Amino acid sequence: MTRIAITGAAGRMGRVLIQAVDAAEGAEVGAAIVRHDDPMLGLDAGAIAGLGKDLGIRAVASLSEVADQFDVLIDFTTPAVTLANLSFCQQHGKCIVIGTTGFSDDEKISLADCATQTGVVFAPNYSVGVNLCLNLLRMAARVMGEDSDIEIIEMHHRHKVDAPSGTALRMGEVVAETMGWDLNEVACYGREGQTGARPHQQIGFETIRGGDVVGDHTVMFASDGERVEVTHKAQSRMTFARGAVRSALWITDQKAGLYDMQDVLGF
Ligand code: NAD
């Protein structure tokens, strides 16, 4: 049985992650970590997730209190918290599955540098469908990229704090890599005013925020006379949670290093 700790356990993803671990074969909730000032501190993880039963796991405020109670940490929090937790996991020989988005380029470099002692899975999106879309995008970029204008549109709920989404950026990276472009040079984040004509070698990003949308992404290849759109719509956070739990079970059998969801799915 793989014991999984969940940090950010009281958050939108954290609560669904507790449900997903509880429902998964071969996994159990080993620990639940919340902020020191969270009203859920001290409550049972089952109550936090609304499971209608206790799991015998009381939410604590620091990983060091539960270091011997888990094998893998699933972390969907904030970049600074995740980097500190990654460092803890490396020091204590624990694997970690990272779902947090919004890392700066420097933070991504320190994350990769740190992922040397144990297994780390880091993906901006743990849904099977989005990871399939990444492969479809490689094909679309190869076939249509030279003759198309490429635009990425994403919509999320009003509470999301980073933009564009980590998934939209990953989609942009995949398209740019396939085209032989550097995303930093070709990305255009929103437009207004006298923008001039659109250059061909550009990937446009548009961000929409509102309501309770779990996550919609469309990548558009617009050429003269036709348009291809690759669209993914997440309807439930459970799709991300199941993918993260699948990753947590997978990573315990891997060599130390940095992996993503494409590795977990064997793409
Ligand atoms: P949220 O704000 O609802 O939850 C984050 C939780 O982390 C909060 O409860 C907060 O109190 C807690 N937290 C902050 N500091 C902490 C600390 N030091 N110790 C313990 N807990 C702490 O946000 P959310 O919607 O659950 O999203 C969290 C992150 O996951 C975001 O970056 C989001 O973009 C990302 N996300 C990724 C995927 C994916 O598939 N990779 C899917 C959905 C969301």
Side-chain angles (χ1 to χ4, degrees):
M1 192 64 88
T2 302
R3 299 167 308 159
I4 298 178
I6 296 155
T7 190
R12 278 177 291 270
M13 277 304 302
R15 291 188 302 254
V16 185
L17 282 161
I18 295 171
Q19 295 167 12
V21 173
D22 184 56
E25 242 175 72
E28 65 184 5
V29 179
I33 302 95
V34 299
R35 269 175 62 117
H36 65 92
D37 56 354
D38 197 295
M40 300 285 179
L41 182 64
L43 294 190
D44 189 88
I48 293 174
L51 285 178
K53 64 174 181 183
D54 277 359
L55 297 180
I57 302 292
R58 199 175 49 80
V60 297
S62 80
L63 271 181
S64 47
E65 288 180 58
V66 289
D68 57 351
Q69 289 170 31
F70 71 94
D71 309 302
V72 188
L73 178 68
I74 301 184
D75 187 314
F76 283 60
T77 56
T78 62
V81 173
T82 300
L83 286 175
N85 288 344
L86 170 62
S87 166
F88 180 95
C89 286
Q90 298 288 293
Q91 282 162 24
H92 291 80
K94 312 281 185 184
C95 296
I96 179 168
V97 172
I98 297 172
T100 306
T101 61
F103 292 94
S104 67
D105 286 347
D106 285 349
E107 285 172 331
K108 281 186 196 163
I109 291 168
S110 30
L111 192 154
D113 286 348
C114 204
T116 51
Q117 309 297 311
T118 65
V120 178
V121 186
F122 173 44
N125 197 303
Y126 281 93
S127 92
V128 173
V130 157
N131 283 280
L132 167 65
C133 284
L134 295 178
N135 284 356
L136 297 177
L137 290 175
R138 286 189 184 95
M139 188 190 295
R142 270 197 302 272
V143 176
M144 290 196 66
E146 273 312 319
D147 300 318
S148 304
D149 297 321
I150 304 167
E151 297 281 311
I152 302 178
I153 303 142
E154 59 102 341
M155 178 166 187
H156 282 81
H157 55 89
R158 67 172 73 89
H159 303 289
K160 185 162 178 61
V161 295
D162 53 315
S165 71
T167 303
L169 290 168
R170 184 71 195 120
M171 288 172 155
E173 278 168 11
V174 163
V175 171
E177 276 162 26
T178 308
M179 297 302 298
W181 300 343
D182 177 348
L183 184 63
N184 287 326
E185 285 170 12
V186 301
C188 172
Y189 298 107
R191 299 183 183 91
E192 66 173 357
Q194 296 297 312
T195 60
R198 183 195 196 285
H200 167 65
Q201 199 161 314
Q202 182 173 78
I203 299 177
F205 288 84
E206 289 298 337
T207 295
I208 303 168
R209 294 284 175 264
D212 60 356
V213 174
V214 174
D216 291 357
H217 293 88
T218 293
V219 183
M220 189 181 285
F221 295 81
S223 69
D224 291 340
E226 64 178 342
R227 189 164 83 234
V228 168
E229 296 181 5
V230 177
T231 292
H232 179 270
K233 295 185 188 216
Q235 279 141 227
S236 158
R237 289 186 174 83
M238 189 51 90
T239 188
F240 309 130
R242 284 204 196 96
V245 174
R246 181 171 173 171
S247 303
L249 294 173
W250 179 87
I251 193 64
T252 53
D253 292 331
Q254 309 304 316
K255 284 192 272 182
L258 182 61
Y259 302 89
D260 68 15
M261 187 62 179
Q262 301 265 308
D263 299 312
V264 177
L265 294 173
F267 284 166

